[in-house]
Amino acid sequence: MSTIFSKIINKEIPANIVFESDTILAFKDINPQAPVHILIIPKIEIPKVTDINGKEHASLLGEMMDAANKIAKDMNIADDGFRLVFNCGNNAGQDVYHLHMHLLGGRKMNWPPG
Ligand code: 5GP
């Protein structure tokens, strides 16, 4: 089932896009939890981590990692460090069922996360 992220991919609703390729989109989170909070998503609809097939989606996931590294460098948070998070399902607090990787940085992170 399509989510609000499909509307962002299709430019039906606006987002602050920081990176785009044929397969990947990255945009600023509407409710940032850190000075830098970017969502990196595949353009195809994969609801959640447990729907990933390693062989089928390997290059897509690699592209998401490349995008994260590029954005972190572009936003000057690569040297100080940052956090990448996938929330999967109810217990992790996943709200939007379109696979997304959170890129969080620009402040010291706590561990363990809440
Ligand atoms: P989740 O809790 O599913 O891991 O994260 C979903 C994220 O999407 C949240 O951090 C939330 O703030 C963000 N989000 C939800 N709707 C929108 C939207 O319409 N635009 C943007 N830019 N971010 C959104």
Side-chain angles (χ1 to χ4, degrees):
M1 204 183 78
S2 292
T3 70
I4 194 149
F5 288 178
S6 293
K7 292 193 168 69
I8 290 175
I9 291 164
N10 295 327
K11 313 282 161 65
E12 290 163 19
I13 63 166
N16 197 327
I17 293 169
V18 297
F19 176 84
E20 181 164 18
S21 72
D22 288 348
T23 52
I24 301 292
L25 190 69
F27 49 92
K28 293 186 179 176
D29 196 293
I30 205 167
N31 182 23
Q33 301 302 310
V36 175
H37 188 172
I38 306 295
L39 300 173
I40 300 165
I41 71 172
K43 288 187 173 176
I44 60 166
E45 290 181 11
I46 301 171
K48 59 187 190 298
V49 167
T50 46
D51 296 308
I52 293 171
N53 176 298
K55 281 201 177 123
E56 186 183 346
H57 299 127
S59 81
L60 191 61
L61 292 171
E63 289 174 53
M64 289 172 70
M65 296 304 304
D66 285 348
N69 280 328
K70 177 180 169 20
I71 294 163
K73 280 187 195 122
D74 289 350
M75 297 198 166
N76 293 314
I77 58 168
D79 289 344
D80 286 338
F82 54 88
R83 183 169 289 168
L84 299 174
V85 175
F86 287 93
N87 291 320
C88 180
N90 191 43
N91 268 5
Q94 183 174 1
D95 284 328
V96 180
Y97 280 80
H98 182 123
L99 187 73
H100 51 280
M101 183 164 68
H102 296 258
L103 165 60
L104 296 145
R107 67 167 170 85
K108 183 85 175 147
M109 301 285 158
N110 299 314
W111 192 263

